[in-house]
Coordinates of all heavy atoms in Angstrom, one line a residue:
M1 N -2.6 116.3 -21.2 CA -3.9 115.9 -20.8 C -3.7 114.7 -20.0 O -2.9 113.8 -20.3 CB -4.7 115.5 -22.0 CG -6.1 115.0 -21.6 SD -7.1 114.2 -23.0 CE -7.5 115.7 -23.9
A2 N -4.4 114.5 -18.8 CA -4.3 113.4 -17.9 C -5.0 112.2 -18.5 O -6.0 112.3 -19.2 CB -4.9 113.7 -16.6
A3 N -4.4 111.0 -18.3 CA -4.9 109.7 -18.8 C -6.3 109.5 -18.0 O -6.4 109.9 -16.8 CB -4.0 108.6 -18.5
A4 N -7.2 109.0 -18.8 CA -8.5 108.7 -18.2 C -8.4 107.5 -17.2 O -7.6 106.6 -17.4 CB -9.5 108.3 -19.3
R5 N -9.0 107.6 -16.0 CA -8.9 106.6 -15.0 C -9.9 105.5 -15.4 O -11.0 105.8 -15.8 CB -9.4 107.2 -13.7 CG -9.3 106.3 -12.5 CD -9.7 106.9 -11.3 NE -9.4 106.3 -10.0 CZ -10.1 105.1 -9.6 NH1 -11.1 104.7 -10.3 NH2 -9.8 104.7 -8.4
K6 N -9.4 104.3 -15.4 CA -10.2 103.1 -15.7 C -11.2 102.8 -14.6 O -10.7 102.7 -13.5 CB -9.4 101.9 -16.1 CG -8.5 102.2 -17.3 CD -7.9 100.9 -17.8 CE -7.1 101.1 -19.0 NZ -6.7 99.9 -19.7
A7 N -12.4 102.8 -14.9 CA -13.4 102.7 -13.9 C -13.5 101.2 -13.4 O -13.4 100.3 -14.2 CB -14.8 103.1 -14.5
I8 N -13.8 101.1 -12.2 CA -14.1 99.8 -11.6 C -15.5 99.9 -10.8 O -15.8 101.0 -10.5 CB -13.0 99.3 -10.6 CG1 -12.8 100.2 -9.4 CG2 -11.7 99.0 -11.3 CD1 -11.9 99.6 -8.3
K9 N -16.1 98.8 -10.6 CA -17.3 98.7 -9.9 C -17.0 97.7 -8.8 O -16.5 96.6 -9.0 CB -18.5 98.3 -10.8 CG -19.8 98.2 -9.9 CD -21.0 98.0 -10.9 CE -22.2 98.0 -10.0 NZ -23.3 97.7 -10.9
V10 N -17.3 98.1 -7.5 CA -17.1 97.1 -6.4 C -18.4 96.7 -5.9 O -19.3 97.6 -5.6 CB -16.3 97.7 -5.3 CG1 -16.1 96.9 -4.1 CG2 -14.9 98.2 -5.8
I11 N -18.7 95.4 -5.8 CA -19.9 94.9 -5.3 C -19.7 94.2 -4.1 O -18.8 93.4 -4.0 CB -20.6 93.9 -6.4 CG1 -20.9 94.7 -7.7 CG2 -21.9 93.2 -5.8 CD1 -21.3 93.7 -8.8
Q12 N -20.5 94.4 -3.0 CA -20.3 93.7 -1.7 C -21.0 92.4 -1.9 O -22.2 92.2 -2.2 CB -20.9 94.5 -0.6 CG -20.1 95.7 -0.1 CD -18.7 95.2 0.4 OE1 -17.7 95.8 -0.1 NE2 -18.6 94.3 1.2
A13 N -20.2 91.3 -1.6 CA -20.8 89.9 -1.6 C -20.7 89.3 -0.2 O -19.6 88.7 0.1 CB -20.2 89.0 -2.6
G14 N -21.5 89.7 0.7 CA -21.3 89.4 2.1 C -20.1 90.2 2.6 O -20.0 91.4 2.5
A15 N -19.1 89.5 3.2 CA -18.0 90.1 3.8 C -16.9 90.3 2.8 O -15.8 90.9 3.1 CB -17.4 89.4 5.0
H16 N -17.1 90.0 1.6 CA -16.1 90.1 0.5 C -16.5 91.1 -0.7 O -17.7 91.3 -0.9 CB -15.8 88.8 -0.1 CG -15.4 87.8 1.0 ND1 -14.2 87.7 1.5 CD2 -16.2 86.8 1.6 CE1 -14.1 86.7 2.4 NE2 -15.3 86.2 2.5
E17 N -15.5 91.6 -1.3 CA -15.8 92.5 -2.4 C -15.6 91.8 -3.7 O -14.6 91.0 -3.8 CB -14.9 93.8 -2.3 CG -15.2 94.7 -1.2 CD -14.4 95.9 -1.1 OE1 -13.2 95.8 -1.7 OE2 -14.8 96.8 -0.5
V18 N -16.4 92.1 -4.7 CA -16.2 91.7 -6.1 C -15.9 92.9 -6.9 O -16.6 93.9 -6.8 CB -17.4 90.9 -6.6 CG1 -17.2 90.5 -8.1 CG2 -17.8 89.7 -5.8
V19 N -14.7 92.9 -7.6 CA -14.3 94.0 -8.4 C -14.5 93.8 -9.9 O -14.0 92.8 -10.4 CB -12.8 94.4 -8.1 CG1 -12.4 95.6 -8.9 CG2 -12.6 94.6 -6.6
L20 N -15.2 94.7 -10.5 CA -15.5 94.6 -12.0 C -15.1 95.8 -12.7 O -15.0 96.9 -12.1 CB -17.0 94.3 -12.1 CG -17.7 93.3 -11.4 CD1 -19.2 93.4 -11.4 CD2 -17.3 91.9 -11.9
G21 N -14.9 95.7 -14.0 CA -14.6 96.8 -14.8 C -13.2 96.8 -15.5 O -12.4 95.9 -15.3
A22 N -13.1 97.9 -16.3 CA -11.8 98.0 -17.2 C -10.6 98.0 -16.3 O -9.5 97.7 -16.7 CB -11.9 99.1 -18.0
G23 N -10.7 98.6 -15.1 CA -9.5 98.7 -14.2 C -9.3 97.6 -13.2 O -8.5 97.6 -12.3
A24 N -10.1 96.5 -13.4 CA -10.1 95.4 -12.4 C -8.7 94.7 -12.3 O -8.3 94.3 -11.2 CB -11.1 94.4 -12.7
L25 N -7.9 94.5 -13.4 CA -6.6 93.9 -13.3 C -5.6 94.8 -12.5 O -4.9 94.2 -11.7 CB -6.1 93.6 -14.7 CG -6.9 92.5 -15.4 CD1 -6.3 92.4 -16.8 CD2 -6.8 91.2 -14.7
K26 N -5.6 96.1 -12.7 CA -4.8 97.0 -11.9 C -5.1 96.9 -10.5 O -4.3 96.9 -9.6 CB -4.9 98.4 -12.5 CG -4.0 99.4 -11.8 CD -4.2 100.7 -12.4 CE -3.2 101.7 -11.7 NZ -3.4 103.1 -12.3
E27 N -6.5 96.9 -10.2 CA -6.9 96.8 -8.8 C -6.5 95.5 -8.2 O -6.1 95.4 -7.1 CB -8.5 96.9 -8.8 CG -9.1 97.0 -7.4 CD -8.8 98.2 -6.7 OE1 -8.3 99.2 -7.3 OE2 -9.0 98.3 -5.5
L28 N -6.5 94.4 -9.0 CA -6.1 93.1 -8.5 C -4.6 93.1 -8.1 O -4.3 92.5 -7.1 CB -6.4 92.0 -9.5 CG -6.0 90.6 -9.2 CD1 -6.5 90.1 -7.9 CD2 -6.2 89.6 -10.3
R29 N -3.9 93.6 -9.0 CA -2.4 93.8 -8.7 C -2.2 94.5 -7.3 O -1.4 94.0 -6.6 CB -1.6 94.5 -9.7 CG -1.4 93.7 -11.0 CD -0.3 94.4 -11.9 NE -0.7 95.7 -12.3 CZ -1.5 96.0 -13.4 NH1 -2.0 95.1 -14.1 NH2 -1.7 97.3 -13.6
A30 N -2.8 95.6 -7.2 CA -2.7 96.4 -5.9 C -3.2 95.6 -4.7 O -2.5 95.6 -3.7 CB -3.5 97.7 -6.1
R31 N -4.4 95.0 -4.8 CA -4.9 94.2 -3.7 C -4.0 93.0 -3.4 O -3.8 92.6 -2.2 CB -6.3 93.8 -4.0 CG -7.3 95.1 -3.9 CD -8.6 94.6 -4.2 NE -9.5 95.8 -4.2 CZ -10.7 95.8 -3.6 NH1 -11.1 94.8 -2.9 NH2 -11.4 96.9 -3.7
L32 N -3.5 92.3 -4.4 CA -2.6 91.1 -4.1 C -1.4 91.6 -3.3 O -0.9 91.0 -2.4 CB -2.2 90.5 -5.4 CG -3.2 89.5 -5.9 CD1 -2.7 88.9 -7.2 CD2 -3.4 88.3 -5.0
A33 N -0.9 92.8 -3.7 CA 0.3 93.3 -3.0 C 0.0 93.6 -1.5 O 0.9 93.5 -0.7 CB 0.8 94.6 -3.7
Q34 N -1.2 94.0 -1.2 CA -1.6 94.3 0.1 C -2.0 93.0 1.0 O -1.6 93.0 2.1 CB -2.9 95.1 0.1 CG -2.7 96.6 -0.4 CD -4.0 97.3 -0.5 OE1 -5.1 96.8 -0.4 NE2 -3.8 98.7 -0.5
V35 N -2.6 92.1 0.3 CA -3.2 90.9 1.1 C -2.4 89.6 1.1 O -2.4 88.8 2.0 CB -4.7 90.7 0.9 CG1 -5.5 91.9 1.1 CG2 -4.8 90.2 -0.5
A36 N -1.7 89.4 -0.1 CA -0.9 88.2 -0.2 C 0.3 88.2 0.7 O 1.1 89.0 0.5 CB -0.7 87.9 -1.7
R37 N 0.3 87.3 1.6 CA 1.4 87.1 2.5 C 2.3 85.9 2.2 O 1.7 84.9 1.7 CB 0.9 87.0 4.0 CG 0.1 88.2 4.4 CD -0.7 87.9 5.7 NE -1.4 89.1 6.3 CZ -2.5 89.5 5.7 NH1 -3.0 89.0 4.6 NH2 -3.2 90.5 6.1
P38 N 3.6 86.0 2.5 CA 4.4 84.8 2.2 C 3.8 83.6 3.0 O 3.5 83.7 4.1 CB 5.7 85.3 2.8 CG 5.7 86.8 2.7 CD 4.3 87.1 2.9
G39 N 3.8 82.5 2.3 CA 3.3 81.3 2.8 C 1.8 81.1 2.7 O 1.3 80.0 3.0
A40 N 1.0 82.2 2.4 CA -0.4 82.1 2.2 C -0.6 81.7 0.9 O 0.1 82.1 -0.1 CB -1.0 83.5 2.4
G41 N -1.6 80.8 0.7 CA -1.8 80.3 -0.7 C -2.6 81.3 -1.5 O -3.4 82.0 -1.1
V42 N -2.2 81.3 -2.8 CA -2.8 82.0 -3.8 C -3.2 81.1 -4.9 O -2.4 80.3 -5.4 CB -1.9 83.2 -4.4 CG1 -2.7 84.0 -5.5 CG2 -1.5 84.2 -3.2
F43 N -4.5 81.2 -5.3 CA -5.0 80.2 -6.2 C -5.9 80.9 -7.3 O -6.5 81.9 -7.0 CB -5.9 79.2 -5.4 CG -5.2 78.4 -4.4 CD1 -5.2 78.9 -3.1 CD2 -4.6 77.2 -4.7 CE1 -4.5 78.2 -2.1 CE2 -3.9 76.5 -3.7 CZ -3.9 77.1 -2.4
V44 N -5.9 80.3 -8.4 CA -6.7 80.8 -9.6 C -7.7 79.6 -9.9 O -7.2 78.6 -10.2 CB -5.9 81.2 -10.8 CG1 -6.8 81.6 -12.0 CG2 -4.9 82.3 -10.4
L45 N -9.0 79.9 -9.8 CA -10.1 79.0 -10.2 C -10.6 79.3 -11.5 O -11.0 80.5 -11.8 CB -11.1 79.0 -9.1 CG -12.4 78.3 -9.4 CD1 -12.2 76.7 -9.5 CD2 -13.5 78.6 -8.4
G46 N -10.7 78.3 -12.4 CA -11.3 78.5 -13.7 C -11.7 77.2 -14.4 O -11.3 76.1 -13.9
D47 N -12.5 77.3 -15.4 CA -12.9 76.1 -16.1 C -11.8 75.8 -17.1 O -10.9 76.6 -17.3 CB -14.2 76.1 -16.7 CG -14.5 77.0 -17.8 OD1 -13.5 77.3 -18.6 OD2 -15.5 77.4 -18.1
E48 N -11.8 74.5 -17.7 CA -10.8 74.1 -18.6 C -10.5 75.1 -19.8 O -9.4 75.3 -20.2 CB -11.1 72.7 -19.1 CG -12.5 72.6 -19.7 CD -13.0 71.2 -19.8 OE1 -12.2 70.2 -19.7 OE2 -14.2 71.0 -20.0
N49 N -11.6 75.8 -20.2 CA -11.5 76.7 -21.3 C -10.8 78.0 -20.9 O -9.9 78.6 -21.6 CB -12.8 77.0 -21.9 CG -13.4 75.7 -22.7 OD1 -12.6 75.0 -23.2 ND2 -14.7 75.6 -22.6
T50 N -11.3 78.6 -19.7 CA -10.7 79.9 -19.3 C -9.2 79.7 -18.9 O -8.5 80.6 -19.2 CB -11.5 80.6 -18.2 OG1 -11.6 79.6 -17.1 CG2 -12.9 81.0 -18.6
L51 N -8.9 78.6 -18.3 CA -7.5 78.5 -17.9 C -6.7 78.3 -19.2 O -5.6 78.8 -19.3 CB -7.3 77.2 -17.0 CG -7.8 77.5 -15.6 CD1 -7.7 76.2 -14.7 CD2 -7.1 78.6 -14.9
R52 N -7.1 77.5 -20.2 CA -6.4 77.3 -21.4 C -6.2 78.6 -22.3 O -5.1 78.9 -22.7 CB -7.1 76.3 -22.2 CG -6.2 75.9 -23.5 CD -6.8 74.9 -24.4 NE -7.6 73.7 -23.8 CZ -8.9 73.6 -23.9 NH1 -9.6 74.4 -24.7 NH2 -9.6 72.7 -23.2
H53 N -7.3 79.4 -22.4 CA -7.2 80.6 -23.2 C -7.0 81.9 -22.5 O -6.6 82.8 -23.2 CB -8.6 80.6 -24.0 CG -8.9 79.5 -24.8 ND1 -8.1 79.1 -25.9 CD2 -9.9 78.5 -24.7 CE1 -8.6 78.0 -26.5 NE2 -9.6 77.6 -25.8
C54 N -7.2 82.0 -21.2 CA -7.2 83.2 -20.5 C -6.0 83.4 -19.4 O -5.6 84.5 -19.1 CB -8.5 83.6 -20.0 SG -9.8 83.6 -21.2
Y55 N -5.7 82.3 -18.9 CA -4.7 82.3 -17.8 C -3.4 83.1 -18.1 O -2.9 83.8 -17.4 CB -4.4 80.8 -17.3 CG -3.4 80.8 -16.2 CD1 -3.9 81.3 -14.9 CD2 -2.1 80.4 -16.3 CE1 -2.9 81.3 -13.9 CE2 -1.3 80.4 -15.2 CZ -1.7 80.8 -14.0 OH -0.8 80.8 -13.0
S56 N -2.8 82.7 -19.3 CA -1.5 83.4 -19.7 C -1.7 84.9 -19.8 O -0.8 85.7 -19.4 CB -1.0 82.8 -20.9 OG -1.8 83.0 -22.0
E57 N -2.9 85.3 -20.3 CA -3.1 86.8 -20.4 C -3.3 87.4 -19.0 O -2.8 88.5 -18.8 CB -4.4 87.1 -21.3 CG -4.7 88.4 -21.6 CD -3.7 89.1 -22.5 OE1 -2.9 88.4 -23.1 OE2 -3.8 90.3 -22.6
L58 N -3.9 86.7 -18.1 CA -4.1 87.2 -16.7 C -2.8 87.3 -16.1 O -2.4 88.4 -15.4 CB -5.0 86.2 -15.9 CG -5.1 86.5 -14.4 CD1 -5.9 87.8 -14.2 CD2 -5.8 85.3 -13.7
V59 N -1.9 86.4 -16.2 CA -0.6 86.3 -15.6 C 0.3 87.5 -16.3 O 1.1 88.2 -15.6 CB 0.2 85.0 -15.8 CG1 1.6 85.1 -15.4 CG2 -0.5 84.0 -14.9
R60 N 0.0 87.8 -17.5 CA 0.8 88.9 -18.2 C 0.5 90.3 -17.5 O 1.3 91.1 -17.3 CB 0.5 88.9 -19.7 CG 1.3 89.9 -20.5 CD 1.0 89.8 -22.0 NE -0.3 90.3 -22.5 CZ -0.5 91.6 -22.6 NH1 0.4 92.5 -22.4 NH2 -1.7 92.0 -23.0
H61 N -0.8 90.4 -17.1 CA -1.2 91.6 -16.5 C -1.0 91.6 -15.0 O -1.0 92.6 -14.4 CB -2.7 91.9 -16.8 CG -3.0 92.2 -18.2 ND1 -2.8 93.5 -18.6 CD2 -3.5 91.5 -19.3 CE1 -3.1 93.5 -19.9 NE2 -3.5 92.4 -20.3
V62 N -1.0 90.4 -14.4 CA -0.8 90.3 -12.9 C 0.3 89.3 -12.7 O 0.0 88.1 -12.3 CB -2.1 89.9 -12.2 CG1 -2.0 90.0 -10.7 CG2 -3.3 90.7 -12.7
P63 N 1.5 89.6 -12.9 CA 2.6 88.6 -12.7 C 2.7 88.0 -11.4 O 3.3 86.8 -11.4 CB 3.9 89.5 -12.9 CG 3.4 90.7 -13.6 CD 2.0 91.0 -13.2
A64 N 2.1 88.5 -10.3 CA 2.2 87.8 -9.0 C 1.4 86.5 -9.1 O 1.7 85.6 -8.2 CB 1.6 88.7 -7.9
L65 N 0.5 86.3 -10.1 CA -0.2 85.1 -10.1 C 0.5 84.0 -10.8 O -0.1 82.9 -10.9 CB -1.6 85.4 -10.8 CG -2.5 86.2 -10.1 CD1 -3.8 86.6 -10.9 CD2 -2.9 85.6 -8.7
E66 N 1.6 84.2 -11.3 CA 2.5 83.2 -12.0 C 2.7 82.0 -11.1 O 2.8 80.9 -11.6 CB 3.8 83.8 -12.6 CG 4.5 82.8 -13.5 CD 5.6 83.5 -14.3 OE1 6.0 84.6 -13.9 OE2 6.0 83.0 -15.3
E67 N 2.9 82.2 -9.9 CA 3.2 81.2 -8.9 C 1.9 80.6 -8.3 O 2.1 79.8 -7.4 CB 4.2 81.7 -7.8 CG 5.5 82.1 -8.4 CD 6.3 81.1 -9.2 OE1 6.3 79.8 -8.7 OE2 6.8 81.3 -10.3
A68 N 0.8 81.1 -8.6 CA -0.4 80.7 -8.0 C -0.7 79.3 -8.4 O -0.4 78.8 -9.5 CB -1.6 81.6 -8.4
G69 N -1.4 78.6 -7.5 CA -1.9 77.2 -7.8 C -3.2 77.4 -8.6 O -3.8 78.4 -8.5
T70 N -3.4 76.5 -9.6 CA -4.6 76.6 -10.3 C -5.5 75.4 -9.9 O -5.1 74.3 -9.5 CB -4.3 76.5 -11.8 OG1 -3.6 75.3 -12.1 CG2 -3.5 77.7 -12.3
I71 N -6.8 75.8 -10.1 CA -7.9 74.8 -9.8 C -8.8 74.8 -10.9 O -9.3 75.8 -11.3 CB -8.7 75.2 -8.5 CG1 -7.8 75.3 -7.2 CG2 -9.8 74.2 -8.3 CD1 -8.5 75.9 -6.1
E72 N -8.8 73.6 -11.7 CA -9.5 73.5 -12.9 C -10.8 72.7 -12.7 O -10.7 71.6 -12.2 CB -8.7 72.9 -14.0 CG -9.4 72.7 -15.3 CD -8.5 72.2 -16.4 OE1 -7.4 72.7 -16.5 OE2 -8.9 71.2 -16.9
V73 N -11.9 73.3 -13.2 CA -13.2 72.5 -13.2 C -13.6 72.3 -14.7 O -13.1 73.1 -15.6 CB -14.3 73.2 -12.4 CG1 -13.9 73.4 -11.0 CG2 -14.6 74.6 -13.0
K74 N -14.4 71.4 -14.9 CA -14.9 71.1 -16.3 C -15.8 72.3 -16.7 O -16.5 73.0 -15.9 CB -15.8 69.9 -16.4 CG -15.0 68.7 -16.0 CD -14.9 67.9 -17.3 CE -14.2 66.6 -17.0 NZ -13.0 66.3 -17.7
A75 N -15.8 72.6 -18.0 CA -16.6 73.7 -18.5 C -18.1 73.2 -18.6 O -18.3 72.0 -18.7 CB -16.1 74.1 -20.0
G76 N -19.0 74.1 -18.4 CA -20.3 73.8 -18.5 C -21.2 74.0 -17.2 O -20.6 74.2 -16.2
E77 N -22.5 73.8 -17.3 CA -23.3 74.0 -16.2 C -23.1 73.0 -15.1 O -23.4 73.3 -13.9 CB -24.8 74.0 -16.7 CG -25.2 75.1 -17.6 CD -25.0 76.4 -16.9 OE1 -25.5 76.6 -15.8 OE2 -24.4 77.3 -17.5
T78 N -22.6 71.8 -15.3 CA -22.5 70.8 -14.2 C -21.5 71.3 -13.3 O -21.4 70.8 -12.2 CB -22.1 69.4 -14.8 OG1 -20.9 69.4 -15.6 CG2 -23.2 68.8 -15.6
S79 N -20.5 72.1 -13.6 CA -19.6 72.6 -12.7 C -20.1 73.7 -11.7 O -19.4 74.1 -10.9 CB -18.4 73.2 -13.4 OG -17.6 72.2 -14.1
K80 N -21.4 74.0 -11.9 CA -22.0 74.9 -11.0 C -22.8 74.3 -9.9 O -23.5 74.8 -9.2 CB -22.9 75.9 -11.8 CG -22.1 76.7 -12.8 CD -23.0 77.6 -13.6 CE -22.1 78.4 -14.6 NZ -22.9 79.1 -15.5
E81 N -22.6 72.9 -9.8 CA -23.3 72.1 -8.8 C -22.7 72.2 -7.6 O -21.4 72.4 -7.4 CB -23.5 70.6 -9.3 CG -24.3 70.5 -10.5 CD -24.3 69.1 -11.1 OE1 -23.7 68.2 -10.5 OE2 -25.0 68.8 -12.1
L82 N -23.4 72.0 -6.5 CA -22.9 72.2 -5.1 C -21.8 71.1 -4.8 O -20.8 71.4 -4.0 CB -24.0 71.9 -4.1 CG -23.7 72.4 -2.7 CD1 -23.2 73.8 -2.5 CD2 -24.9 72.2 -1.8
S83 N -21.8 70.0 -5.5 CA -20.8 69.0 -5.2 C -19.4 69.5 -5.7 O -18.4 69.1 -5.2 CB -21.1 67.6 -5.9 OG -21.2 67.9 -7.3
V84 N -19.4 70.2 -6.8 CA -18.2 70.8 -7.3 C -17.5 71.8 -6.3 O -16.4 71.8 -6.0 CB -18.4 71.4 -8.7 CG1 -17.1 72.1 -9.2 CG2 -18.8 70.4 -9.7
C85 N -18.4 72.6 -5.6 CA -18.0 73.4 -4.6 C -17.2 72.7 -3.4 O -16.2 73.1 -3.0 CB -19.1 74.3 -3.9 SG -19.9 75.4 -5.0
G86 N -17.8 71.5 -3.2 CA -17.1 70.6 -2.1 C -15.8 70.1 -2.6 O -14.8 70.1 -1.9
D87 N -15.7 69.8 -3.8 CA -14.4 69.3 -4.4 C -13.4 70.5 -4.4 O -12.2 70.2 -4.1 CB -14.6 69.0 -5.9 CG -15.5 67.7 -6.0 OD1 -15.6 67.0 -5.1 OD2 -15.9 67.5 -7.2
I88 N -13.8 71.7 -4.7 CA -12.9 72.9 -4.6 C -12.5 73.1 -3.2 O -11.2 73.3 -3.0 CB -13.6 74.1 -5.2 CG1 -13.8 73.9 -6.7 CG2 -12.8 75.4 -5.0 CD1 -14.7 75.0 -7.3
W89 N -13.3 73.0 -2.3 CA -13.0 73.2 -0.9 C -12.1 72.1 -0.4 O -11.0 72.5 0.3 CB -14.3 73.1 0.0 CG -14.2 73.6 1.4 CD1 -13.1 74.0 2.0 CD2 -15.3 73.7 2.3 NE1 -13.4 74.3 3.3 CE2 -14.8 74.1 3.5 CE3 -16.6 73.4 2.2 CZ2 -15.6 74.4 4.6 CZ3 -17.4 73.6 3.3 CH2 -16.9 74.1 4.5
R90 N -12.2 70.9 -0.7 CA -11.3 69.8 -0.4 C -9.9 70.1 -1.0 O -8.9 69.9 -0.4 CB -11.9 68.5 -0.8 CG -13.0 68.0 0.1 CD -13.3 66.5 -0.1 NE -14.2 66.5 -1.3 CZ -15.5 66.8 -1.3 NH1 -16.1 67.3 -0.2 NH2 -16.2 66.8 -2.4
H91 N -9.9 70.5 -2.2 CA -8.6 70.9 -2.9 C -7.9 71.9 -2.1 O -6.7 71.8 -1.9 CB -8.9 71.4 -4.4 CG -7.7 71.7 -5.1 ND1 -7.0 70.8 -5.9 CD2 -7.0 72.9 -5.2 CE1 -6.0 71.4 -6.5 NE2 -6.0 72.7 -6.1
L92 N -8.6 72.9 -1.7 CA -8.0 74.1 -1.0 C -7.5 73.5 0.4 O -6.4 73.9 0.8 CB -8.9 75.2 -0.8 CG -9.3 76.0 -2.1 CD1 -10.5 76.9 -1.9 CD2 -8.1 76.8 -2.6
C93 N -8.3 72.8 1.0 CA -7.8 72.2 2.3 C -6.7 71.3 2.2 O -5.7 71.4 3.0 CB -9.0 71.4 2.9 SG -10.4 72.5 3.5
A94 N -6.6 70.5 1.1 CA -5.4 69.6 1.0 C -4.2 70.4 0.7 O -3.0 69.9 1.0 CB -5.7 68.7 -0.2
R95 N -4.3 71.6 0.2 CA -3.1 72.5 0.0 C -3.0 73.5 1.1 O -2.2 74.5 1.0 CB -3.2 73.2 -1.4 CG -2.8 72.2 -2.5 CD -3.6 72.3 -3.7 NE -3.3 71.1 -4.6 CZ -3.9 70.0 -4.5 NH1 -4.8 69.7 -3.6 NH2 -3.6 69.0 -5.4
E96 N -3.6 73.2 2.2 CA -3.5 74.0 3.5 C -3.8 75.5 3.3 O -3.1 76.3 3.8 CB -2.1 73.8 4.1 CG -1.9 72.3 4.4 CD -0.5 72.1 5.1 OE1 0.3 73.0 5.2 OE2 -0.3 70.9 5.5
A97 N -4.8 75.7 2.4 CA -5.2 77.1 2.2 C -5.9 77.6 3.5 O -6.9 77.0 4.0 CB -6.2 77.3 1.0
G98 N -5.4 78.6 4.1 CA -6.0 79.1 5.4 C -6.9 80.3 5.1 O -7.2 80.7 4.0
R99 N -7.3 80.9 6.2 CA -8.1 82.1 6.1 C -7.4 83.3 5.4 O -8.1 84.2 4.9 CB -8.5 82.6 7.6 CG -9.3 81.5 8.3 CD -9.6 81.9 9.7 NE -10.8 82.8 9.6 CZ -11.3 83.4 10.5 NH1 -10.6 83.4 11.7 NH2 -12.3 84.2 10.4
D100 N -6.1 83.2 5.2 CA -5.4 84.3 4.5 C -5.1 84.0 3.1 O -4.5 84.7 2.4 CB -4.1 84.7 5.3 CG -3.2 83.4 5.5 OD1 -3.6 82.3 5.3 OD2 -2.0 83.7 5.9
A101 N -5.6 82.8 2.6 CA -5.4 82.5 1.2 C -6.3 83.4 0.4 O -7.2 84.0 0.8 CB -5.9 81.0 1.0
V102 N -5.8 83.5 -0.9 CA -6.5 84.4 -1.8 C -6.9 83.4 -3.1 O -6.1 82.6 -3.5 CB -5.6 85.4 -2.4 CG1 -6.3 86.2 -3.5 CG2 -5.1 86.3 -1.3
L103 N -8.2 83.5 -3.4 CA -8.8 82.8 -4.5 C -9.3 83.8 -5.6 O -10.1 84.6 -5.3 CB -9.9 81.9 -4.1 CG -10.6 81.1 -5.2 CD1 -9.6 80.1 -5.7 CD2 -11.9 80.3 -4.6
V104 N -8.6 83.7 -6.8 CA -9.0 84.5 -7.9 C -9.8 83.7 -8.8 O -9.4 82.6 -9.2 CB -7.7 85.1 -8.6 CG1 -8.1 85.9 -9.9 CG2 -6.9 85.9 -7.7
N105 N -11.1 84.2 -9.1 CA -11.9 83.4 -10.0 C -11.8 84.0 -11.4 O -12.1 85.2 -11.7 CB -13.4 83.5 -9.5 CG -13.5 82.8 -8.2 OD1 -13.2 81.6 -8.0 ND2 -13.9 83.6 -7.2
L106 N -11.4 83.1 -12.3 CA -11.2 83.6 -13.7 C -12.3 83.0 -14.6 O -12.5 81.8 -14.7 CB -9.9 83.0 -14.2 CG -9.5 83.3 -15.7 CD1 -9.4 84.8 -15.9 CD2 -8.2 82.6 -16.0
G107 N -13.1 83.8 -15.2 CA -14.1 83.4 -16.1 C -15.4 84.1 -15.8 O -15.6 84.9 -14.9

């Protein structure tokens, strides 16, 4: 009997896709292999709780993220303010993240 294919759902968010579902980690591995270029920044964004409790599990499933830079924000609603977006943007600019950088949002 063939193994059941893990379903994913792809949502268009402007020019970018958001991938959800049970097969999302497998899809992330495949997409990172396609788009992550040597020298391009790869970053994982999460709040203090998701990075502490989930990052190691993410890396276990997507080993390519082991070398990724992490961006940590405080847990809670205040991290959803526009000023925090500016802080994240400045962080990425300071690390020379270009148009070919990859940002994985964990949480």
Side-chain angles (χ1 to χ4, degrees):
M1 179 190 291
R5 185 178 189 287
K6 293 191 176 188
I8 62 168
K9 181 176 182 179
V10 178
I11 299 170
Q12 284 300 129
H16 305 282
E17 294 179 336
V18 177
V19 180
L20 307 166
L25 292 174
K26 182 177 180 182
E27 184 72 14
L28 177 58
R29 282 193 307 274
R31 288 179 183 229
L32 279 176
Q34 291 175 341
V35 301
R37 293 166 183 74
V42 177
F43 303 88
V44 177
L45 169 66
D47 72 26
E48 54 200 342
N49 293 325
T50 57
L51 288 176
R52 184 180 328 114
H53 299 294
C54 304
Y55 179 72
S56 61
E57 186 70 9
L58 175 64
V59 169
R60 187 171 74 77
H61 289 282
V62 188
L65 292 176
E66 190 167 19
E67 300 299 319
T70 57
I71 304 170
E72 181 178 306
V73 296
K74 296 254 185 232
E77 292 301 309
T78 58
S79 290
K80 297 177 183 173
E81 295 176 0
L82 195 53
S83 63
V84 176
C85 293
D87 293 340
I88 294 167
W89 193 356
R90 282 186 286 283
H91 179 90
L92 291 168
C93 288
R95 279 142 192 87
E96 300 179 356
R99 298 178 82 188
D100 56 350
V102 175
L103 179 63
V104 176
N105 297 300
L106 177 61

